[in-house]
Each structure stands twice: as C-alpha cells, then as structure tokens.
Amino acid sequence: MKRFIFILIPAAVAFVALTAAAIQTSEACDAKELKAQAKKALDPFTYDSGKVTKIMYRPKTQLKEIEVPVFIGEKYRMVFNTEGLSRNVVISIYNKDKESKDRKPIYTTKQAPAAQRIHVFEPQQAKFKFYVDYEIPAADSASPECLIFMLGYK
Amino acid sequence: MNRSFVILLCASWMLFFSACSNDNPPADNQDSLPTDSTATVEVPERNTTLPSPLHVAAMFKSSGMKFIPGLINPTAKAASYSTSIQRAQNMGVYSADMAYCVLNKQSNDAQQDMKTIRELANQINLGKIFDNTALYDRFNNNLGSEDSLRRIIADIQFETDQQLEANQQNHLYGVIFSGAWIESMYIGAQVYKKEGNQNIVPTLLEQMNVLKSIVTELEAQQAADPAIPALITDLKALQAHFDQMPFKKQLNDKPDLEFSEIKVTKEEMDALVLKIEELRNKIVNG
C-alpha cells in the first residue's frame, strides 16, 4: 500500500502541475479575445485586415516589420492591442521600409503611457504602403506573447 | 521509506508550485538573463497584410466599373477543384465575384457565390467561419441592403482571418487573397476592354502595387504546400511584365506622380490585360 502511495501521489501532483502549466501557456496568447478587443476600437471603420505577431523575447533587442499595402486617397485606421504583452514593445510606423535610409516616422508609441494597451492611429495620407515596426526589448521569455494589429478603412 | 516518502512529497509540491507560478514578470522588472539592449537584431522574416477582396472591389467600383453579365466564374466549376490550394484560391475568386455582385446589386449571383464560398470553406477546414456564426443566414436575410451586406462581408473576412490563425492555416491567407486579387483585376480588365472605360486604368495600375505584397506573403509560406512555389512563379511573371512596361519610366523619374497623370498606351494596356487573363484562366480552370 505504501509503495502504491509512494508512486501515486507524486504522479498525481505531477499530472496536475503539468496540466496547469499547459493551460497557462495556452492562455498566454488568447489571440481571439485580443482581436475582438481591437475590432471594437476599429469601429466605425470597416475591417480590412489583421495580423497577429507572436513575440518571443531574446537576449538582444529585436526589430520586426510588417508591410501594409494601402490605396491612394482612402481613409484608414490602424489599431494595435498590446494587452497580451508583458513588456513594452515600441510600435512605430514609417513611410518606407527599414532598409531605406531616407524613411520618415509617421507615428510612434514611444511616449505613450505604459498602461495604455490599445493604440489607435489614423494616417493622413495613404500612398502605396506603410511599414509598421515593432521594437522588442531584450529579455527572456518562456512562451510566446501576442501583439495584435488591425487595419480598417472608410 | 518514510524519509524517502517525505522527500519525494516535498519535491512533488515544489514541481507543482514551479509549474503553476506565473513566469511573466511585470514590465518594469529586471530580466533574469543577461541581456544586450544596445544591439538590435532585425528579424529576417517578412510580414505583410493584404487588403480584403471587398475593399479591392470597392476601389474598382469607385472608378466606375459597371456590372457585365457573364464575367464572373460560374459556381458550377467549384466541384472541379480538388486540391486545397485550388479550393482556397477559388474561394478567393468567388469572394471577389461576390463583392462585385453585391456592389452592383446582383443579389441572385451574390447568393450563389456565397453558397459556393461556404462549400469550399468546408472542404478546406474553414467551415467554422459559418458554423459558429450566423453570417450565412445574415447574408441571405439582407440581400436587399448593400450597406448591411458590406458589413457582413467584412465580418466574414474577420472570421476567415480568425479561423486561419486558430487552425494554423496561415499559408492559405495569401493563397485565398491571390485568387481574389487576380479575379478583381480580371473583371476590371474586362470592363476596360469591353467598355473602354479609361477611368479604370489608374485603378488597375495602382492595384499592381499589391502584387509584390502577395508574393512576399506567399514566399514566407512556400514551404507549407508544394503548390505554392508554382503560384509564386506565375505571379512573379506578371510582376516582371508590369515592371518592364514603358510607362514605368515615368514613375521612376517622378515617384510622386499620380496614376491618373500617367500616360499608358493602348498597346501597353492590351498586353497587361492579356497577361491578367492568362493567369486568371489558369486559376479558374484548375
């Protein structure tokens, strides 16, 4: 009986612990709920496209870029939801890609309050493409986190 | 035995608390590993978003594109698409057709397209777009209201993106849109060809700028399905033709030039239309 308990208790504890850990990992990035929040902030613009970017922190600062094609003369709203992030990822928008030397910044969240999780930006002039850059701070992470981007038009 | 038991029990509880603790530190905490924030590593992967088929169709509509019967892909052809790439790409084709019909108040055709889109979605594991929502019924109940249909189509796009993400089928995002894009380009090109509507020319040229983004998206996903590289090759051939068109020199000389100010000859446009037709027919004929 003692031998049975000797095996059963640790096995049960291990099972519960690993299940709890798995649930935590899967809940670290609930993209569906985060996208639903972003879509609310898009209103009254019509949903055009969205991108869920998985963020894994590394020992060095990372730069990820998203290319956003747009149409001339259209009115756009960009929404970012950083609710799924544990660290401050700086979001910046440029008129050209990161390889271009003469690109101009159009928007940045660098000065935004740390508690702000929904960031909304409406560019004044749309021509061809915008480039959204995520500056991901150096850190370590065990599981991926989510940054939501959504584009709407009128 | 008792001592071993106590040690093992303690170890088990340590494992339990270790697994259940939240490892995500608050934003202001120090990192637990030595980090180097002075050097920035650029992540090489390319990410892009693509516009919705409804938005592309709306751009053509605002340039005066009228409805011409017989242009859209017959829904009867859907049964002949046998691979997931063919089904996904033609789901995009029918999405563009549906948007074209809705914006031109052709509710019967739009309804048939919607039915076909749902069937193709089921065949590529995207049935939940419609199963978990009332979108299909909402669409059929609002056939008389263009504004309502636009909102519903935008919701369908949102649900499609949700399901692709949830099912880890992100490789189909670019495939579906490539079908929608080439179909809209085909319809626009046909309206230009049959009606001589010059207002469509700037829209066709502007839309060609989306092509590079489609290729970028597909290249990022080309390992996911052996049919994707062939699709990229076809789209790149169209891109290469566009890049060599003589009018491009005007744009290179003056990058801020509006498309409406660009002079394109009839021969240039006819050659572009032909390339679009060839690629569209390849897609819809499976």
Side-chain angles (χ1 to χ4, degrees):
Chain A
M1 183 62 179
K2 269 186 183 175
R3 185 177 294 272
F4 179 68
I5 291 170
F6 187 78
I7 295 167
L8 187 68
I9 290 179
V13 170
F15 175 76
V16 171
L18 292 173
T19 305
I23 290 168
Q24 272 191 357
T25 303
S26 65
E27 285 178 351
C29 179
D30 184 1
K32 195 173 179 181
E33 174 57 28
L34 296 171
K35 283 182 83 174
Q37 290 170 3
K39 191 162 179 260
K40 275 185 190 169
L42 208 59
D43 193 57
F45 286 69
T46 304
Y47 176 82
D48 199 29
S49 58
K51 198 84 182 173
V52 179
T53 303
K54 296 277 164 60
I55 306 284
M56 281 293 283
Y57 301 103
R58 308 280 184 208
K60 286 190 175 181
T61 304
Q62 301 167 77
L63 185 71
K64 282 194 174 191
E65 189 165 85
I66 302 174
E67 181 182 291
V68 184
V70 289
F71 302 141
I72 299 167
E74 289 289 277
K75 288 181 179 171
Y76 287 97
R77 176 179 284 185
M78 298 174 165
V79 174
F80 301 89
N81 186 356
T82 60
E83 187 67 46
L85 300 178
S86 61
R87 292 173 189 276
N88 183 30
V89 173
V90 175
I91 302 161
S92 300
I93 302 171
Y94 294 89
N95 63 335
K96 293 182 180 176
D97 68 16
K98 59 181 188 279
E99 278 86 32
S100 302
K101 287 175 185 168
D102 60 340
R103 69 175 184 162
K104 292 174 188 163
I106 299 167
Y107 170 81
T108 183
T109 61
K110 204 168 267 184
Q111 306 300 327
Q116 187 178 340
R117 294 307 199 164
I118 298 281
H119 303 272
V120 177
F121 173 62
E122 291 178 18
Q124 290 306 304
Q125 281 187 322
K127 189 168 186 183
F128 300 149
K129 280 168 190 172
F130 289 115
Y131 294 86
V132 175
D133 283 13
Y134 297 147
E135 196 179 317
I136 304 159
D140 64 314
S141 58
S143 58
E145 298 178 354
C146 286
L147 204 170
I148 309 295
F149 165 61
M150 213 166 272
L151 183 71
Y153 68 97
K154 249 185 185 174
Chain B
M1 180 72 174
N2 283 344
R3 195 177 167 197
S4 303
F5 177 73
V6 170
I7 290 168
L8 198 59
L9 198 61
C10 288
S12 301
W13 282 111
M14 282 170 70
L15 170 67
F16 179 80
F17 285 116
S18 155
C20 293
S21 67
N22 189 346
D23 286 336
N24 292 338
D28 296 329
N29 276 10
Q30 290 289 316
D31 302 323
S32 56
L33 279 179
T35 58
D36 178 7
S37 59
T38 56
T40 300
V41 179
E42 291 185 3
V43 179
E45 71 187 66
R46 297 294 293 180
N47 275 300
T48 185
T49 62
L50 297 168
S52 61
L54 176 66
H55 196 185
V56 176
M59 293 304 291
F60 276 110
K61 175 70 180 169
S62 62
S63 65
M65 189 167 76
K66 290 178 184 165
F67 186 80
I68 297 181
L71 283 188
I72 60 175
N73 192 31
T75 51
K77 273 190 176 176
S80 67
Y81 306 131
S82 55
T83 69
S84 66
I85 295 296
Q86 284 175 351
R87 286 166 176 162
Q89 209 170 17
N90 281 283
M91 183 179 156
V93 167
Y94 290 117
S95 299
D97 287 345
M98 181 176 70
Y100 176 55
C101 292
V102 164
L103 297 178
N104 287 284
K105 303 189 191 317
Q106 302 293 318
S107 53
N108 286 343
D109 284 335
Q111 202 172 14
Q112 287 304 309
D113 284 328
M114 172 54 113
K115 187 168 173 276
T116 308
I117 289 165
R118 189 172 74 155
E119 286 166 4
L120 288 171
N122 271 324
Q123 291 167 6
I124 54 174
N125 196 30
L126 291 173
K128 281 186 181 173
I129 297 167
F130 301 102
D131 291 349
N132 293 352
T133 62
L135 288 169
Y136 187 73
D137 291 338
R138 273 176 61 202
F139 185 90
N140 288 320
N141 293 337
N142 286 279
L143 285 171
S145 168
E146 185 186 320
D147 285 347
S148 300
L149 290 180
R150 279 180 175 232
R151 277 194 296 276
I152 294 163
I153 294 173
D155 286 346
I156 291 170
Q157 183 66 48
F158 179 75
E159 284 301 326
T160 304
D161 293 349
Q162 289 268 51
Q163 283 308 313
L164 289 172
E165 179 75 28
N167 297 351
Q168 298 185 326
Q169 289 178 290
N170 288 323
H171 64 288
L172 295 182
Y173 174 63
V175 175
I176 293 171
F177 182 74
S178 68
W181 180 81
I182 198 70
E183 181 70 355
S184 283
M185 291 295 283
Y186 170 79
I187 294 170
Q190 293 307 303
V191 173
Y192 161 78
K193 196 170 148 181
K194 292 178 194 298
E195 294 201 327
N197 184 344
Q198 292 297 319
N199 293 334
I200 289 178
V201 173
T203 307
L204 279 168
L205 299 181
E206 187 190 358
Q207 286 298 321
M208 285 302 296
N209 278 299
V210 180
L211 182 52
K212 274 187 183 167
S213 299
I214 300 172
V215 170
T216 299
E217 173 63 27
L218 290 171
E219 281 180 335
Q221 303 288 344
Q222 61 183 318
D225 192 296
I228 293 178
L231 173 58
I232 293 170
T233 303
D234 289 341
L235 292 169
K236 277 187 168 176
L238 180 58
Q239 181 73 53
H241 176 86
F242 179 70
D243 287 341
Q244 287 169 8
M245 285 173 73
F247 89 90
K248 286 280 281 186
K249 190 177 178 307
Q250 298 171 54
L251 261 187
N252 294 339
D253 293 344
K254 290 184 183 174
D256 290 331
L257 207 61
E258 298 290 330
F259 279 111
S260 55
E261 297 173 289
I262 291 172
K263 306 248 181 304
V264 190
T265 65
K266 185 177 180 303
E267 289 70 29
E268 282 182 82
M269 280 309 296
D270 288 349
L272 179 63
V273 167
L274 189 65
K275 288 285 174 194
I276 292 167
E277 285 173 350
E278 285 171 2
L279 182 51
R280 187 268 189 176
N281 291 336
K282 190 173 179 180
I283 291 167
V284 300
N285 292 329

